[in-house]
Structures are given as C-alpha cells and as structure tokens.
Amino acid sequence: MADRIVTAEARISAVDRTAGVLERIAGRFRGLERAMTSVSRADRVSIGGGALARADRAALLTARARANVTAVGGALATVATPAAIGYAAQRSVQTWAQLEQAVTRVGITAEATDADIARALRQFRRQGPPVGATARELAQAADQYVAAGLDFQTAVDSVMPAIRATKASGGELTDLTSAGIAAIQQFGFSAGTLGRAFDIMAKAGKEGRYELKNMAKDMPSVGAGAKRLGLEGERGLAKTTAALEIIRDYVGSSDEAANRWENVV
C-alpha cells in the first residue's frame, strides 16, 4: 500500500516539473495529512462543535426570532386571525404528513418493518426542526441513501450528518449525501462515524482551496480511486483529501483537481 501511495505522489509531481517541487509536495502532503488525521482522532469533531454547531445555533436563533416577532407586544397575535393561525397549523401538519408518506415509501423500498418506520419518523421529528431541516430534505436524503443500497436504519442514521454538513458548507444536499455514501461504501465509515468523515473533508477545505461543497460533489469518483489504492478509514480519507488539496494548488479548479486525481490513480 505504501508503495502505491508513493507512486501516486510521484505522479502528482508531474503537474509542475520545476526543481524541488517533489520535495515541496511531499512536505505539504505530510503537513496536510497530519492536520486531517489530528481532526479524525479528536474526541469531538470540529465540524460538529464548530461550523455545524453554528449552523444549528443559527437555525435555532432564527426560529426564536420568528417566535419573538410573532409575540412582540401581542401586535402580531392580534393581527393574526384564527383563520390564519389555523392555516399555519394545517400547513405544518400537512408537511409532516408528507414526511410520513415519503419515509413510509422509503421504508417499503428498504423492506423495513412498521416499527422501523415509526422509529425513523420519531427520530426525524426530533432531530430535524432544531437544525432547520425540512420534511422534504429529510425524506430526500433517506431515499438517496436507500437507493444506493444502504439498509434502512443506516440510511436514517446517516441523514442528519449530511444535512448538517449541507447547511454548514452551503452545498447541495444531493452532493453531501453522495459524499456520505462514498464515505460509507468506499472508505468504510459507519453512520455513527459519518460526522467525522465530513469533518475531515471540511478541515481539508479550510487548509486549502478545495472546499467541502466541491469535495462532496467529487467524492464518489475520488473515493473509487482511493479504494483502488487501498486507502480506507479515517486515515485513508485524510490522505485522499490531502492529495486533492495538493493537486488543487497546481491546477485551475476543483473539478480539474478531481480529474487529475482520477488520472493519477
């Protein structure tokens, strides 16, 4: 495995043939790998305690602000007619009713039991609102995970890490969910450690120019290449993201960096 990684590093150096570039790349690779690995070993992942926690707090503060606006001096409470309040309540019920229908469909596809589906609904209703997740987002992510071949409970448990990462990065939920699938299927993460995978990717983005939202989009193909090199687990993902950041330093875009990675491996 070590020989294959060395070979990959050597191929990466072909991007810039100036004197001493291999030494600089190797040094940067080691530095980035240390940064990624230190994140993966942390007792509490920074994306959960930092960016994602801020996203959670922002959603909570927004909800509180809306509640305060509604209650200010009783003015809006006076303006809001019973019909308007009834409409809002009805819409909320309809939204969660739609979630129940959607999750039930996903459960049927995954051959889940009624008890599994009921448990998933309770989990989504408890976890979704605090981070501002909509019923549609919850169902969409669960459906995407199941469509990729994950079992129902793994899919359900993997939804919130993808949603938190989406809100923290400003990326697309579809892309972040795809990155979650790659982390599980190609790097060997579990639903319980998926937050760490997103944390490693986010840390790589902070250390370089390959941002999490772009990395997420490219991770399925990048992960396939990493698997061919035998890179797996937290250390494997750390090495992969470090390599991507190095390549990104020498090319014009994140997409081109992903293409170069595929050529290397």
Side-chain angles (χ1 to χ4, degrees), residues 26-254:
R28 178 156 169 74
F29 183 90
R30 288 191 293 269
L32 283 169
E33 184 189 350
R34 282 194 298 270
M36 302 306 103
T37 303
S38 66
V39 170
S40 68
R41 289 176 179 169
D43 291 335
R44 185 177 181 186
V45 294
S46 63
I47 198 166
L52 289 184
R54 288 194 295 272
D56 288 358
R57 287 196 295 272
L60 180 58
L61 290 174
T62 299
R64 286 178 178 173
R66 287 173 178 166
N68 290 338
V69 168
T70 303
V72 167
L76 291 184
T78 302
V79 173
T81 65
I85 295 173
Y87 171 76
Q90 181 184 17
R91 181 168 182 175
S92 176
V93 170
Q94 287 175 341
T95 299
W96 288 104
Q98 290 170 354
L99 173 67
E100 182 171 359
Q101 294 170 0
V103 172
T104 299
R105 286 195 298 270
V106 174
I108 291 172
T109 300
E111 299 182 350
T113 65
D114 291 344
D116 291 335
I117 295 171
R119 187 165 50 248
L121 286 167
R122 289 195 299 271
Q123 183 173 326
F124 285 157
R125 285 173 174 152
R126 183 180 70 253
Q127 296 177 342
V131 298
T134 66
R136 180 178 181 180
E137 288 173 330
L138 293 164
Q140 173 189 332
D143 187 40
Q144 189 174 343
Y145 279 124
V146 167
L150 301 186
D151 66 82
F152 184 72
Q153 193 56 53
T154 298
V156 169
D157 291 342
S158 301
V159 166
M160 291 310 300
I163 286 180
R164 289 192 178 98
T166 298
K167 293 186 180 299
S169 67
E172 296 292 331
L173 178 57
T174 301
D175 293 337
L176 271 298
T177 304
S178 293
I181 293 167
I184 292 171
Q185 295 183 335
Q186 295 166 349
F187 288 95
F189 285 83
S190 67
T193 60
L194 188 55
R196 294 185 179 226
F198 285 124
D199 190 47
I200 292 170
M201 289 183 252
K203 181 64 173 177
K206 291 177 183 177
E207 293 288 331
R209 296 190 295 163
Y210 208 129
E211 295 182 2
L212 172 57
K213 62 183 179 181
N214 296 320
M215 197 174 293
K217 178 169 59 68
D218 298 327
M219 191 50 65
S221 59
V222 166
K227 191 170 185 177
R228 289 195 295 272
L229 284 176
L231 297 171
E232 58 185 20
E234 295 180 11
R235 189 68 180 271
L237 181 58
K239 286 180 177 288
T240 301
T241 55
L244 287 172
E245 290 296 348
I246 292 169
I247 300 172
R248 179 65 183 84
D249 285 345
Y250 291 89
V251 297
S253 68
S254 297

Side-chain angles (χ1 to χ4, degrees), residues 1-8 226 229-232 235-236 239:
M1 174 178 165
D3 291 341
R4 283 179 285 179
I5 294 173
V6 170
T7 300
L229 284 176
L231 297 171
E232 58 185 20
R235 189 68 180 271
K239 286 180 177 288

